Amino acid sequence: MQTIDTDVTIIGAGPAGLCLARALSGTGLRITVLDREPEAALRAPAFDGREIGLTQRSVRFLQRLQLWNRLPADQTHPLRQARVFNGASHDALEIGPSDPGADPLGWLVPNHAIRAAAFECVAASPDVELRAGVRVAAVDTDAATARVRLDDGRVFASRLLVAADGRFSETRRALGIATRMHDFGRSMLVCRVTHERPHEDIAWEWFDHGHTLARLPLGRAAPEGRRSSIVLTLPGAQMRAVQALDDEAFATEIERRCDGRLGAVSEVGTRHVYPLVGAWATRFAATRVALVGDAAVGMHPVTAHGFNLGLLGVERLAGLLRNAAASGADPGASALLDRYDRGHRRATAPLHLATRGVVGLFTDDRPPARALRAGVLRASASFPPFRRLLAALLADRDPAGSRVTGRHDRTEQGDGRPRAADRW
């Protein structure tokens, strides 16, 4: 049996795992990333329909990783404003500035583009070793070492093991870390469409009776901003009926569900369906183990903050590990992992709980719930400080309007896209 020594072993070469590996590059730590997918699939991920909404803070972190500048310009689209609708009403809670010249709330980037750029970053890091196409047979830890045994008999022994293998993490389960899973009883369909009326860089979140529908504005490849990603949430039986429609009938169905607000719908792209299941690990760290990304917190997509919370955890853990490496401390020390656990739980718990509450209220079609959410939206729309606070949370700014900056920030380029940082 071959034993391979390393300092940090990361299981999962998704965006969270790869971003963590990149963030640790240059620390002197030996980093190994393991994933069951073949290298070709990691290098050129298939389009999966998902568009990721990135806050300004997340973009700045990706700048520091030198990942942002690897994204093609036509794959990043500014989100200027968000509007929340309830039922058949055309009145909306508007979040964000109405001035088209203002800084965007955030950016929309396809998931597969982020994954490809993250792979490029890791491939350019000589101190990160990626082992693709491997299968983990067992994991165990003790006070001194974390061990990962592959099905071919090789063992990776490290001082820290990081589970970054998603909300259904097999690593987390194998280590006995309990997780609160919540099945929302619905599925989410994502599909790109072309529509008659321009989106004006405005996102929708529409809580209609019987379904939830979101529209995410896409790049300018289509004339005058008429290409969007549609996100439709339905119970299982209804979703299967929608999936069975041909493209023409599906376009008509989206027109109908949007109550004509998009105009004519055409050029339907591939449809992708995902179950809506939330996850909350009872611990984000254990003996020589840390959880990042969806392995720690798997969010409902209604707030579009799932990947942002994942990056927040990566940033927090990487900062602690970089400091430990600089001082020669143990990267798997219990005190360090306790700090990560406490800090990331405090940062994520409010939004995780609030999201559960929003989903519960806005998907309940009983008359009292309908009346309550209509009242909530009316009150919110008539209270400007609340709208400014929501915009500040989305854009990662101070509510008074000043940008929250850090020592690694850079100015923006002439086209409004953030300039890539040249170092951490």
Side-chain angles (χ1 to χ4, degrees):
M1 182 174 64
Q2 180 188 11
T3 298
I4 302 166
D5 292 322
T6 186
D7 291 311
V8 180
T9 302
I10 301 171
I11 299 180
L18 292 176
C19 285
L20 178 61
R22 176 64 174 183
L24 297 178
S25 179
T27 61
L29 295 170
R30 296 166 297 172
I31 313 300
T32 302
V33 182
L34 307 175
D35 198 278
R36 67 179 60 182
E37 291 290 323
E39 184 173 323
L42 297 174
R43 184 182 300 276
F47 175 70
D48 61 12
R50 289 178 288 184
E51 309 294 333
I52 305 300
L54 296 171
T55 64
Q56 297 286 10
R57 174 173 183 153
S58 292
V59 170
R60 291 194 295 272
F61 182 54
L62 296 181
Q63 290 173 342
R64 300 202 297 272
L65 300 184
Q66 299 180 358
L67 187 154
W68 184 259
N69 62 315
R70 297 176 187 271
L71 294 167
D74 63 358
Q75 295 290 300
T76 64
H77 194 79
L79 175 59
R80 300 291 178 188
Q81 193 181 75
R83 293 178 181 172
V84 182
F85 299 92
N86 178 51
S89 174
H90 282 237
D91 295 329
L93 170 62
E94 296 186 356
I95 304 169
S98 56
D99 179 5
D103 287 345
L105 286 173
W107 297 81
L108 290 164
V109 184
N111 184 58
H112 76 284
I114 294 174
R115 294 186 63 185
F119 179 90
E120 287 183 17
C121 284
V122 168
S125 304
D127 49 357
V128 178
E129 183 179 16
L130 175 61
R131 303 276 186 127
V134 300
R135 287 193 170 272
V136 174
V139 295
D140 70 272
T141 67
D142 57 34
T145 309
R147 288 169 292 273
V148 179
R149 181 169 60 83
L150 303 183
D151 61 1
D152 62 10
R154 287 178 295 170
V155 174
F156 288 84
S158 59
R159 294 188 286 169
L160 174 65
L161 171 62
V162 178
D165 50 346
R167 70 185 64 200
F168 302 106
S169 171
E170 295 177 7
T171 307
R172 183 187 62 211
R173 177 179 291 273
L175 291 166
I177 299 175
T179 305
R180 298 187 183 100
M181 308 295 291
H182 183 82
D183 190 332
F184 291 95
R186 285 168 166 76
S187 296
M188 173 184 74
L189 181 148
V190 290
C191 178
R192 292 181 171 185
V193 301
T194 298
H195 43 84
E196 183 179 5
R197 296 174 183 168
H199 54 55
E200 299 178 310
D201 301 337
I202 298 172
W204 292 350
E205 188 71 49
W206 186 0
F207 298 98
D208 205 354
H209 303 150
H211 72 253
T212 302
L213 190 145
R215 183 196 72 178
L216 305 176
L218 297 181
R220 301 173 178 82
E224 301 179 48
R226 291 186 167 90
R227 191 75 170 163
S228 293
S229 175
I230 297 298
V231 185
L232 177 64
T233 302
L234 288 171
Q238 295 180 43
M239 183 61 78
R240 287 190 291 273
V242 171
Q243 284 181 268
L245 299 174
D246 62 27
D247 284 354
E248 183 176 353
F250 179 78
T252 301
E253 179 72 1
I254 295 301
E255 278 184 43
R256 181 187 71 81
R257 288 185 179 273
C258 289
D259 195 26
R261 300 182 199 194
L262 292 177
V265 174
S266 60
E267 297 184 43
V268 172
T270 55
R271 285 171 256 172
H272 306 261
V273 176
Y274 301 95
L276 289 181
V277 179
W280 175 263
T282 57
R283 292 178 292 162
F284 294 168
T287 302
R288 297 211 169 265
V289 175
L291 311 183
V292 298
D294 282 358
V297 184
M299 293 282 287
H300 188 289
V302 67
T303 56
H305 268 301
F307 186 54
N308 293 299
L309 292 186
L311 285 180
L312 185 65
V314 167
E315 185 177 13
R316 184 182 304 277
L317 182 59
L320 292 169
L321 293 176
R322 292 180 72 88
N323 289 339
S327 63
D330 182 354
S334 59
L336 182 154
L337 295 177
D338 286 346
R339 285 187 62 192
Y340 167 70
D341 179 60
R342 290 194 305 271
H344 196 41
R345 294 179 79 79
R346 283 197 301 267
T348 57
L351 188 57
H352 177 76
L353 294 173
T355 298
R356 286 279 300 274
V358 167
V359 172
L361 174 62
F362 282 87
T363 59
D364 187 342
D365 285 329
R366 293 174 296 179
R370 290 186 186 185
L372 177 59
R373 66 186 182 232
V376 168
L377 287 178
R378 281 196 302 271
S380 302
S382 61
F383 189 54
F386 178 75
R387 296 201 308 274
R388 286 197 295 270
L389 177 61
L390 285 179
L393 290 173
L394 287 172
D396 192 34
R397 294 188 181 89
D398 183 273
S402 62
R403 182 186 294 250
V404 178
T405 59
R407 62 189 178 89
H408 301 297
D409 290 348
R410 295 291 186 270
T411 58
E412 291 184 344
Q413 301 181 61
D415 62 359
R417 297 177 76 230
R419 187 181 303 279
D422 57 7
R423 63 178 177 85
W424 243 79

